[in-house]
Amino acid sequence: GLYATAVRWHKKLIQRGDLPSSARRTEPVMQYLAVTGQKARLMEYTRLMVAAGVSFVPYDTQDMLVMRVINDESDNSNNGYNDDFCARLMATRFFSIETIIGTLGFLRIREIGPLALRAMATRELLHNPYCRAIENRLDQLANAGLSTGNSTFSILVRQFVAEGQSHLLASIVSCDLHTDTFDDHRLQESLLAFHYVNSDKMAFDRTMAILLAKVPTALIPAKRWNLTLRSRLVRQELEAVKDTIGKMQDLQIQIEPKSVVCMSQKMLSPRQVGRGPAETKELGLLIRIWQDVLRSGGLVPPWVWNEIFRRLGMSGRLIMFERLALWLASWYSSPTYRTSLSCLLTRRKGDAEPLQPGMVIDLKTSNPLHPLHVIFGSKLQQAIVAWGFQHTFPSHKRNVAHGRRPDWTWGLALLRKLRDSDVYISQPTVRKAFKLRVIGLFGPGNSKRKINQRVRRRNKDSLGAYVGKAKRVWGTDLLHKNPRRLDQAETSMIRNSITEVE
């Protein structure tokens, strides 16, 4: 931190005749002037010592000075040197690049890092904006036994030089991103969408190249299409999204699970918690796309279906709901799925892990990891029973064109069909859901939700009729365990409404 002060004192002492015994004692100052690029002051300081008669070994031999500088700054934990320091050395115009490369090779340093490579490329491109100049430097590095490493930045430099893409080479060298961020895929994909939204083609192409740098050659087309699809989803260009998906299907390119999740986040209209969606027209499109993904051997994270079912149930589209539920039950129970080489199971929302072949065969649908258990969990089972009751008497605002008017037993009937299709359905969960609906219809007090108030107001049947019909549909009593009596808690909640129990 006191190099500048040392330089001034050295100069004053030499001018007053107080000379160092040799130039070696002044090497720290010489190194400081050299590394910081103060060539004029270095030459002046050297001439001053020569004129004063100091025993001096000429520093025209830059190799000696570079060698001592590198040795002083060496870092044995990182291939013998510090990448940040070497980058500053490469950027110092006092030393020629040939000298730096030769010295690094002489010291048997095996590899230069991305910072040093970037500094070298920046210095070269100032005088020659074409790939040929960098190609020559890469050849010099190779001849000196120096590797440029396997960082994303280094891979891209070699790739662009080999392909002659001078514009992309200049872009990655001059952009304001640190080379470490090139390996941060989450950040780079966010930047890709940002550049797409802002129609910055050069930045978009650069970021796309960064994301594809370490992708195996055979997988690059599929990865490029999926990245493009997600960028268009972020911008919510529905027609462009449809066009991209159509082309991917024509080319038989799989839609990645990450793209499926992005669709669920970007294509569905906003919805407040506890409220149905304002629009449901996008549901049919998403369902068809995801079914095609499954049929083609792709992977759809099971949990993404939950929001689809919520929207279908809340909007009263029960026929479409039932059709999809039975299709999924059939698909995830089919031999095609069971023998798939890579089956997707979800340990927690948003975190999908591929399994080894054959693991799915051993899983029962009661296993929390099975896709059918993930899709038809206890909350959805309760909701299915509730939607059967709630949509028995649709409001005037609700479009009956969504399907024929359902009976209140729709939910119980669907759950039984799912149970018969080997989906795990919890008897206590169904009993609890039915009991809550009956309490809402016949118990004291009123629900604050308008849809429940409407059902209670329009209901004409007795409790006994509900219990009997539920038993015929489900197969067993749901209101209580003992069909001949109600327990005390049930009696207290619906005591004023019980007329008959069969």
Side-chain angles (χ1 to χ4, degrees):
L2 297 176
Y3 279 105
T5 303
V7 170
R8 290 196 300 272
W9 275 102
H10 269 291
K11 184 175 180 179
K12 288 181 180 181
L13 291 171
I14 291 171
Q15 289 173 338
R16 292 176 180 274
D18 189 353
L19 307 178
S21 58
S22 71
R24 183 170 296 276
R25 294 187 177 277
T26 67
E27 281 185 3
V29 175
M30 303 283 280
Q31 290 175 6
Y32 167 76
L33 294 174
V35 173
T36 56
Q38 301 182 54
K39 184 176 181 180
R41 296 191 67 182
L42 177 60
M43 297 305 295
E44 177 190 1
Y45 190 61
T46 303
R47 285 195 298 269
L48 185 63
M49 288 193 296
V50 172
V54 176
S55 176
F56 183 72
V57 179
Y59 275 83
D60 292 337
T61 56
Q62 292 187 359
D63 292 353
M64 182 184 298
L65 182 55
V66 173
M67 190 179 302
R68 291 194 63 83
V69 170
I70 294 175
N71 278 333
D72 288 345
E73 294 289 338
S74 65
D75 178 4
N76 294 327
S77 65
N78 186 22
N79 289 324
Y81 85 112
N82 180 282
D83 187 31
D84 182 64
F85 170 76
C86 193
R88 287 186 277 120
L89 192 62
M90 284 285 192
T92 302
R93 297 186 183 181
F94 178 74
F95 301 120
S96 67
I97 292 180
E98 292 88 347
T99 298
I100 298 172
I101 292 176
T103 305
L104 292 173
F106 179 79
L107 294 174
R108 297 187 179 181
I109 291 174
R110 298 183 300 275
E111 178 183 309
I112 67 169
L115 295 176
L117 180 61
R118 186 179 203 170
M120 184 190 75
T122 301
R123 188 168 163 183
E124 284 297 316
L125 291 174
L126 287 174
H127 307 289
N128 189 343
Y130 300 102
C131 292
R132 183 63 183 174
I134 307 300
E135 184 178 7
N136 292 336
R137 295 302 185 194
L138 292 178
D139 291 340
Q140 291 175 13
L141 288 169
N143 292 335
L146 291 166
S147 167
T148 53
N150 290 317
S151 68
T152 299
F153 179 83
S154 302
I155 291 172
L156 288 174
V157 169
R158 296 194 298 268
Q159 175 187 328
F160 294 153
V161 167
E163 297 173 355
Q165 299 190 56
S166 300
H167 62 295
L168 284 175
L169 177 62
S171 182
I172 65 167
V173 170
S174 61
C175 70
D176 57 359
L177 295 173
H178 192 280
T179 55
D180 288 349
T181 65
F182 282 45
D183 292 294
D184 186 340
H185 279 235
R186 179 176 295 182
L187 171 63
Q188 292 299 331
E189 187 159 344
S190 297
L191 291 173
L192 185 74
F194 175 79
H195 297 318
Y196 182 83
V197 170
N198 289 280
S199 303
D200 189 339
K201 187 177 185 306
M202 173 58 73
F204 181 85
D205 291 343
R206 178 188 69 225
T207 309
M208 179 69 79
I210 292 172
L211 287 166
L212 297 176
K214 292 186 177 181
V215 176
T217 304
L219 302 180
I220 286 179
K223 191 67 176 179
R224 187 188 300 275
W225 275 104
N226 275 279
L227 288 168
T228 301
L229 173 61
R230 293 199 287 273
S231 296
R232 291 177 174 175
L233 284 166
V234 169
R235 196 167 181 173
Q236 297 184 325
E237 298 176 338
L238 187 57
E239 292 304 318
V241 167
K242 292 180 182 178
D243 180 66
T244 302
I245 292 173
K247 291 179 179 177
M248 291 175 71
Q249 291 174 338
D250 293 340
L251 296 171
Q252 297 184 338
I253 292 175
Q254 291 287 355
I255 296 177
E256 298 174 351
K258 190 173 183 179
S259 299
V260 171
V261 173
C262 190
M263 287 183 204
S264 69
Q265 295 170 342
K266 301 300 180 182
M267 290 182 66
L268 294 174
S269 58
R271 178 181 71 85
Q272 293 183 6
V273 177
R275 294 176 176 268
E279 298 288 340
T280 59
K281 58 184 179 182
E282 72 277 4
L283 294 177
L285 174 62
L286 269 181
I287 291 170
R288 289 193 298 273
I289 293 172
W290 292 353
Q291 286 177 327
D292 288 342
V293 171
L294 290 173
R295 291 190 188 101
S296 63
L299 304 175
V300 175
W303 58 265
V304 301
W305 295 106
N306 294 343
E307 183 61 23
I308 299 294
F309 280 125
R310 287 192 197 99
R311 290 170 182 254
L312 289 174
M314 288 180 173
S315 59
R317 304 184 69 172
L318 302 186
I319 293 178
M320 181 180 288
F321 187 109
E322 181 171 344
R323 189 182 300 123
L324 176 61
L326 295 177
W327 187 91
L328 289 173
S330 174
W331 173 259
Y332 284 112
S333 301
S334 66
T336 302
Y337 175 77
R338 288 177 179 271
T339 58
S340 177
L341 293 180
S342 56
C343 298
L344 190 70
L345 296 184
T346 303
R347 296 186 182 277
R348 60 181 182 274
K349 185 175 182 180
D351 185 11
E353 297 181 2
L355 296 183
Q356 296 299 319
M359 290 186 68
V360 176
I361 299 176
D362 299 329
L363 284 179
K364 304 296 183 182
T365 57
S366 58
N367 190 310
L369 293 179
H370 195 285
L372 289 176
H373 199 288
V374 174
I375 297 171
F376 299 104
S378 59
K379 289 185 178 179
L380 183 58
Q381 292 178 30
Q382 292 184 54
I384 289 174
V385 175
W387 288 325
F389 278 81
Q390 291 172 348
H391 297 301
T392 299
F393 305 104
S395 66
H396 296 297
K397 296 181 181 179
R398 195 170 301 283
N399 188 357
V400 182
H402 287 162
R404 64 181 182 274
R405 175 176 167 176
D407 185 83
W408 65 265
T409 60
W410 170 85
L412 294 175
L414 175 57
L415 289 177
R416 181 163 184 174
K417 291 177 184 177
L418 291 173
R419 184 181 64 184
D420 294 342
S421 298
D422 201 30
V423 177
Y424 175 73
I425 303 298
S426 169
Q427 178 84 2
T429 298
V430 177
R431 178 179 287 113
K432 177 182 177 181
F434 178 71
K435 186 185 298 183
L436 289 175
R437 292 300 110 193
V438 169
I439 291 172
L441 284 173
F442 300 102
N446 288 308
S447 171
K448 294 181 179 180
R449 299 190 64 189
K450 291 182 179 180
I451 189 170
N452 293 331
Q453 294 174 6
R454 182 174 67 247
V455 173
R456 179 164 182 158
R457 186 171 60 251
R458 298 183 183 181
N459 175 52
K460 304 298 182 183
D461 294 331
S462 66
L463 173 62
Y466 275 88
V467 173
K469 195 169 186 179
K471 182 178 180 180
R472 289 192 295 272
V473 172
W474 185 250
T476 59
D477 271 297
L478 290 174
L479 188 60
H480 48 83
K481 296 179 181 179
N482 188 336
R484 295 189 174 278
R485 69 180 181 84
L486 297 171
D487 61 41
Q488 185 176 357
E490 291 170 333
T491 303
S492 63
M493 287 186 287
I494 57 176
R495 57 185 181 276
N496 296 325
S497 302
I498 297 178
T499 57
E500 58 178 275
V501 177
E502 299 179 358

